Amino acid sequence: MSYYDIDAILTDAQKVPCIFEITIPGLGYLEGNSNTDIKQGTRVELPLWLAEMLGVSQRLGTEQNVVTLDLPPALAPRIQNALKANPCTVDLRSLASHYYSLGERILGLLEEDELVDILSETFKKRAAEIADHAHNPQGVISSGGEFLKGLDENERQLFKTAHESAKAIRTFLSDRNNIKKSYTQI
């Protein structure tokens, strides 16, 4: 991940629910109140980059964490249950355009063993479906359009790569057959 990576920047901009553990003077604007303090126990959605810095502040020498992080709505238990039931029916793009990147970053901050398993299984099952659509373009037109609209950025890249490789293999096999035909004519 590079400093200039647009996907990383967009992932960092995702909102994460946080609860302030201490009162902080002058930060009321984070909840829409200018010139006020942010009180202990206040629940605010912060960009991931800021929530991460405040959430790990205890490790940096403060007495306690400034905020406690919660799972973002895209990774909430309701979504996890839907992914366990049938991951191919969930529109990940509407939840977060960089869904797996968000999950990866959150898992680096929170210990959620079940979420690791759910995201892994989701990616495996959806990757198989993506490969099927990439190798069978006619099927995409008739039945897979809705599924493809719901792909997150990593899945879109996977689809593009799988589609281009399937196309290259068909071209290679076609060229190979044409060469064989020309040799047999000689």
Side-chain angles (χ1 to χ4, degrees), residues 164-184:
E164 289 171 354
S165 67
K167 188 175 169 184
I169 288 172
R170 282 192 296 272
T171 302
F172 171 76
L173 293 174
S174 173
D175 291 347
R176 188 173 146 201
N177 287 337
N178 289 339
I179 290 172
K180 281 184 181 179
K181 286 179 187 177
S182 48
Y183 278 132
T184 56

Side-chain angles (χ1 to χ4, degrees), residues 67-164:
V67 298
T68 300
L69 304 175
D70 285 336
L71 287 174
L75 299 169
R78 182 178 60 84
I79 303 300
Q80 291 179 36
N81 289 335
L83 291 172
K84 282 190 254 182
N86 187 355
C88 294
T89 61
V90 179
D91 182 355
L92 295 184
R93 187 167 197 77
S94 69
L95 298 171
S97 60
H98 295 82
Y99 189 81
Y100 295 108
S101 299
L102 175 63
E104 176 189 8
R105 293 286 302 281
I106 290 296
L107 288 170
L109 299 170
L110 304 173
E111 291 183 22
E112 294 282 335
D113 294 333
E114 184 181 13
L115 184 57
V116 172
D117 297 336
I118 292 170
L119 290 177
S120 295
E121 284 302 309
T122 296
F123 188 78
K124 288 176 193 174
K125 290 177 181 174
R126 289 175 65 99
E129 188 79 15
I130 291 166
D132 185 42
H133 286 295
H135 290 276
N136 182 10
Q138 283 75 28
V140 171
I141 295 168
S142 63
S143 66
E146 287 303 311
F147 174 70
L148 294 177
K149 287 180 188 174
L151 300 181
D152 96 314
E153 286 302 316
N154 293 320
E155 292 173 330
R156 285 176 180 241
Q157 196 62 35
L158 178 63
F159 176 80
K160 181 180 174 189
T161 302
H163 181 70
E164 289 171 354

Side-chain angles (χ1 to χ4, degrees), residues 21-22 34 36 39 55 62 83 96-97 146 149-151 178 185:
E21 298 297 326
I22 57 176
S34 59
T36 61
K39 304 282 186 218
T62 61
L83 291 172
S97 60
E146 287 303 311
K149 287 180 188 174
L151 300 181
N178 289 339
Q185 291 175 356

Side-chain angles (χ1 to χ4, degrees), residues 48-61:
L48 179 58
W49 65 268
L50 179 57
E52 180 178 28
M53 297 313 262
L54 296 175
V56 299
S57 61
Q58 186 176 20
R59 298 180 204 155
L60 301 175

